[in-house]
Amino acid sequence: MLYSHFVRDGTMQTYNLDGGAFLRMLNGGVDSIKANSKKINDLNVFPVPDGDTGSNMTKTFEAGFLEAKSIPQNQRKSLADVTQKMSHGMLLGARGNSGVILSQIFKGIQLELKNYSTVNAEQLLKAYEKGVEQSYHAVVNPVEGTILTVFREATEYTKKNLKRDSTIEDFYKTHIEGAKLILPKTKEILDVLKDADVIDSGGAGYLCIAEGMYQALLDKEYSSNQTAEIDFDSISKEEESTPSQNTSIDISAFTRDSVLEFGYCTECLLRLQTSKVKDVDNFDINIILNFLNSIGGESVVAFKEDDIVKLHVHTENPGLVLTELRKYGEFLTIKVENMALQHEERIKKAEPKKERLPMAVVAVANGDGLKKAFTDFGCDYIIDGGQTGNPAASAFVEAFDAVNADNIIVLPNNSNIVLTAKQAAEMYKDSKIYVVPTKSIQQGYSALAMINPAFEDIDSMVSDVEDYIGDVISGNVALAVRDAELCGKSIKEGDYLGMFGDDIVSLSTDKIQALEAMLKSLDEKTIKDKELLTLFCGEDVTKEEAQKALEMIESHFPDLEVTNYQGNQKVYSFQIIFFCLFLIYNGKIEYYIYSYN
């Protein structure tokens, strides 16, 4: 006979892990990664704001936890059910490369556990080995020294040290030991980490999650907002406040002459109080359910977890509900909304579906001017995002639905968003999705110039696009947010960096001078055959600075046709791209390609 727990050395140990315990562990993982998110972001090796690994991993993992938490209380015992929900939530919520890889790790774990209600340590090890396999398979060119290495080495270390009588606590303790051994070595594996003298941020983020899960496993009474202590190189516990979503509702939809038709959507968290309830642990939730039914409540959802009651009800008398609930405890949160306003918002959002198109283009960009430039150049749908703002996979799925096309070409326009776009493409079945791996706005803009909706051979066109974007050289000027030693240069916070790709070619305290020095560094052969130059000015560039930059560029390149956009993009003060003009002939269709050659 197997027991879920037994006592060893005076402490309760877990022999079989079930869904309820795993959900508690996910909660601990969320709290831990959230608390350390900013410190993980600060491990960015580049002095320019990057994709925010800590924020991406937090949002990805939290999306999985919240979906798993939506399982009704009486269905949480099954590990298969909890991990299936968790994995689905993480796949849709994945942001950035680190988030996508994290979601694939837990997707592999879920695949191995899909037929288990509970597992022992040996079975859990097989699931983690499946997580290694799945995550490596999901990345076209796996790079060692990253979260992949940390998770793989930790799992292999666990396998070497696991015994037949090992508990679930033994498993996670050993797994964390393995992660702590490999994490400092990531700076030896990857030169870019060594140069910046930091450990891999993705690996650090995973260790945070594992530590949080382990602490929640040890604490059988674990509940939200407790934070696991993290102890590894360059990471210390620091709370990161998560801004609440600011939803704007048009209150004019319910006037002084309106009649309450839909009632109020009432939600709350209630903590039961021993001063009001004799036996909190055995409080009968049916007492509340019966009351809600007696007053005609609709869409009633109420369940108890430890001493917390979660409630949702549609009612015309929210005051009665709140008064009744205070007989048993005190509120932690309350939300009451007029459903007439919610109804109006749903009507506004429920726009008629557009006519099905043969082809559409979806791109990622930020900044009003930059978005307009992409739209004017033929993009059908813009997902807000880019550097420091990586959209979730679900944002791509929503975009695919919105454009309603047989074939959809996707331009991620950032190296940290490509994997997310590909993951969304794999999940979407209603259209054929082509993800062109554009790693910069410049590559995306070049790609748009090559895309023609009238071109019937989309596979061939996409192949041409992918060939040409590899030759695009992205020129950027950005403000350094910290000191660094990179590319043989001593960078100080507040310097402006001129970059082609990841190569820093100029450095100045003035953005215009950094741009000028960057352009002067170009080899004459590189621009010999170029005909057009486009400049995008960021949100920090004034009209006077934009004009000064334009005049400087025109004086340096008198033979080029120069176009200037106030892109208002974040992070980058200036983004430039040169174009060559080519003609592609394909029987009936002629169109132009602008690119480096």
Side-chain angles (χ1 to χ4, degrees):
M1 181 177 180
L2 298 178
Y3 295 89
S4 294
H5 302 88
F6 65 91
V7 176
R8 175 196 285 174
D9 299 329
T11 59
M12 191 71 75
Q13 300 287 309
T14 307
Y15 187 80
N16 280 349
L17 180 66
D18 64 14
F22 193 71
L23 183 60
R24 185 178 77 242
M25 293 169 65
L26 294 179
N27 192 356
V30 168
D31 288 346
S32 182
I33 185 68
K34 186 179 292 186
N36 291 278
S37 178
K38 186 178 184 300
K39 286 291 184 181
I40 297 169
N41 288 342
D42 290 343
L43 288 173
N44 172 29
V45 299
F46 216 57
V48 174
D50 202 353
D52 296 341
T53 301
S55 300
N56 288 336
M57 294 183 74
T58 297
K59 291 173 182 176
T60 301
F61 198 73
E62 187 172 34
F65 167 66
L66 290 176
E67 182 148 340
K69 192 179 178 182
S70 70
I71 299 175
Q73 187 77 21
N74 60 359
Q75 297 177 21
R76 294 181 178 181
K77 283 295 183 181
S78 170
L79 189 59
D81 291 345
V82 171
T83 55
Q84 192 280 326
K85 282 283 190 180
M86 167 210 68
S87 176
H88 183 260
M90 288 183 69
L91 290 172
L92 279 175
R95 297 169 185 257
N97 293 344
S98 56
V100 171
I101 293 172
L102 183 68
S103 71
Q104 290 295 329
I105 285 173
F106 280 89
K107 176 62 177 177
I109 292 172
Q110 180 266 321
L111 288 173
E112 183 64 29
L113 299 179
K114 63 183 179 181
N115 295 319
Y116 290 95
S117 180
T118 65
V119 292
N120 58 30
E122 289 184 349
Q123 292 167 326
L124 187 60
L125 174 62
K126 290 182 179 179
Y128 270 59
E129 289 178 322
K130 183 66 175 177
V132 173
E133 177 187 333
Q134 179 73 19
S135 57
Y136 270 82
H137 178 72
V139 181
V140 177
N141 296 306
V143 177
E144 296 299 340
T146 64
I147 181 176
L148 290 169
T149 306
V150 173
F151 181 71
R152 175 178 56 78
E153 291 275 356
T155 302
E156 291 175 356
Y157 181 86
T158 306
K159 185 175 183 179
K160 291 177 183 178
N161 292 277
L162 206 65
K163 301 175 183 178
R164 294 193 65 181
D165 63 345
S166 290
T167 66
I168 302 299
E169 285 82 0
D170 294 331
F171 176 93
Y172 281 99
K173 181 180 179 182
T174 307
H175 187 72
I176 290 168
E177 287 175 357
K180 287 182 176 179
L181 287 173
I182 186 59
L183 186 56
K185 297 178 183 178
T186 56
K187 68 172 67 175
E188 301 171 12
I189 299 172
L190 273 178
D191 289 339
V192 66
L193 297 178
K194 184 177 181 180
D195 292 342
D197 192 30
V198 293
I199 55 177
D200 177 65
S201 55
Y206 175 73
L207 180 54
C208 274
I209 290 171
E211 284 270 25
M213 292 176 67
Y214 178 53
Q215 293 300 323
L217 173 67
L218 294 177
D219 183 1
K220 303 301 185 291
E221 302 301 321
Y222 187 92
S223 61
S224 296
N225 299 320
Q226 298 180 26
T227 304
E229 293 288 339
I230 305 300
D231 181 22
F232 51 76
D233 187 26
S234 298
I235 299 288
S236 62
K237 186 177 74 172
E238 180 171 321
E239 292 288 343
E240 180 193 37
S241 60
T242 304
S244 59
Q245 291 185 342
N246 187 13
T247 56
S248 178
I249 295 180
D250 181 12
I251 61 174
S252 65
F254 194 85
T255 70
R256 66 177 70 184
D257 299 317
S258 298
V259 177
L260 186 67
E261 181 180 358
F262 301 101
Y264 296 90
C265 176
T266 305
E267 297 180 4
C268 68
L269 285 180
L270 179 80
R271 187 180 293 278
L272 300 172
Q273 302 290 299
T274 54
S275 60
K276 299 184 178 185
V277 176
K278 289 184 179 180
D279 187 353
V280 169
D281 293 332
N282 295 308
F283 178 79
D284 186 1
I285 194 67
N286 287 314
I287 295 174
I288 293 176
L289 290 172
N290 291 338
F291 169 78
L292 295 175
N293 290 327
S294 72
I295 64 170
E298 297 180 348
S299 300
V300 176
V301 177
F303 60 86
K304 173 180 174 289
E305 185 172 0
D306 296 327
D307 59 355
I308 302 292
V309 172
K310 168 71 174 179
L311 180 139
H312 171 280
V313 61
H314 294 172
T315 176
E316 293 186 3
N317 298 291
L320 285 179
V321 174
L322 300 179
T323 300
E324 176 69 18
L325 291 178
R326 283 208 64 209
K327 293 179 180 178
Y328 313 108
E330 300 296 345
F331 297 109
L332 301 176
T333 63
I334 298 174
K335 184 180 77 171
V336 179
E337 291 183 352
N338 187 326
M339 292 173 61
L341 301 181
Q342 293 183 344
H343 178 70
E344 186 68 20
E345 289 298 308
R346 281 195 290 268
I347 291 175
K348 288 180 180 178
K349 293 178 180 178
E351 299 177 355
K353 201 162 188 179
K354 294 176 7 181
E355 182 181 349
R356 187 82 170 174
L357 300 173
M359 190 192 79
V361 180
V362 172
V364 179
N366 73 80
D368 294 340
L370 200 55
K371 291 177 181 179
K372 186 177 186 305
F374 267 74
T375 302
D376 291 345
F377 218 3
C379 186
D380 298 280
Y381 191 103
I382 304 289
I383 298 173
D384 186 69
Q387 200 80 344
T388 74
N390 301 156
S394 58
F396 285 94
V397 173
E398 291 172 6
F400 300 159
D401 279 335
V403 296
N404 191 29
D406 295 327
N407 301 280
I408 302 174
I409 297 175
V410 185
L411 307 175
N413 299 338
N414 187 284
S415 59
N416 207 32
I417 301 176
V418 174
L419 274 182
T420 307
K422 289 183 175 180
Q423 181 155 292
E426 291 177 3
M427 299 172 68
Y428 199 77
K429 304 303 180 184
D430 294 339
S431 305
K432 186 172 183 180
I433 311 294
Y434 300 84
V435 177
V436 180
T438 51
K439 297 181 180 180
S440 67
I441 283 294
Q442 292 91 328
Q443 286 188 348
Y445 198 66
S446 296
L448 270 179
M450 307 176 210
I451 296 171
N452 188 332
F455 205 91
E456 296 180 359
D457 188 354
I458 297 178
D459 290 275
S460 177
M461 181 174 65
V462 169
S463 179
D464 287 342
V465 172
E466 291 180 346
D467 288 341
Y468 278 106
I469 63 168
D471 295 328
V472 171
I473 301 172
S474 301
N476 301 300
V477 173
L479 183 69
V481 295
R482 67 177 180 85
D483 297 348
E485 295 285 338
L486 283 176
C487 301
K489 293 179 172 59
S490 295
I491 301 165
K492 300 298 182 183
E493 180 181 348
D495 286 342
Y496 284 94
L497 315 179
M499 302 166 286
F500 285 112
D502 290 335
D503 295 329
I504 301 172
V505 298
S506 69
L507 191 64
S508 175
T509 56
D510 180 82
K511 60 172 73 79
I512 306 292
Q513 292 178 5
L515 174 64
E516 184 174 17
M518 180 185 74
L519 293 174
K520 285 183 176 180
S521 73
L522 285 170
D523 188 282
E524 289 187 5
K525 294 181 179 179
T526 304
I527 59 174
K528 181 180 179 182
D529 299 322
K530 304 303 180 286
E531 298 169 301
L532 309 172
L533 185 152
T534 299
L535 171 69
F536 295 106
C537 298
E539 64 178 0
D540 65 322
V541 178
T542 65
K543 290 183 179 180
E544 291 75 16
E545 288 174 327
Q547 183 62 33
K548 188 176 180 180
L550 180 61
E551 291 173 356
M552 179 269 294
I553 290 172
E554 288 176 337
S555 68
H556 278 291
F557 305 104
D559 297 329
L560 296 182
E561 181 179 336
V562 180
T563 304
N564 179 34
Y565 286 95
Q566 188 62 40
N568 293 321
Q569 69 272 12
K570 299 177 181 178
V571 180
Y572 297 114
S573 300
F574 298 110
Q575 294 185 283
I576 64 164
I577 180 170
F578 292 88
F579 291 105
C580 286
L581 191 60
F582 294 91
L583 181 66
I584 298 292
Y585 183 71
N586 184 40
K588 301 176 183 178
I589 304 297
E590 293 182 353
Y591 65 100
Y592 290 96
I593 290 182
Y594 303 84
S595 175
Y596 288 92
N597 186 27

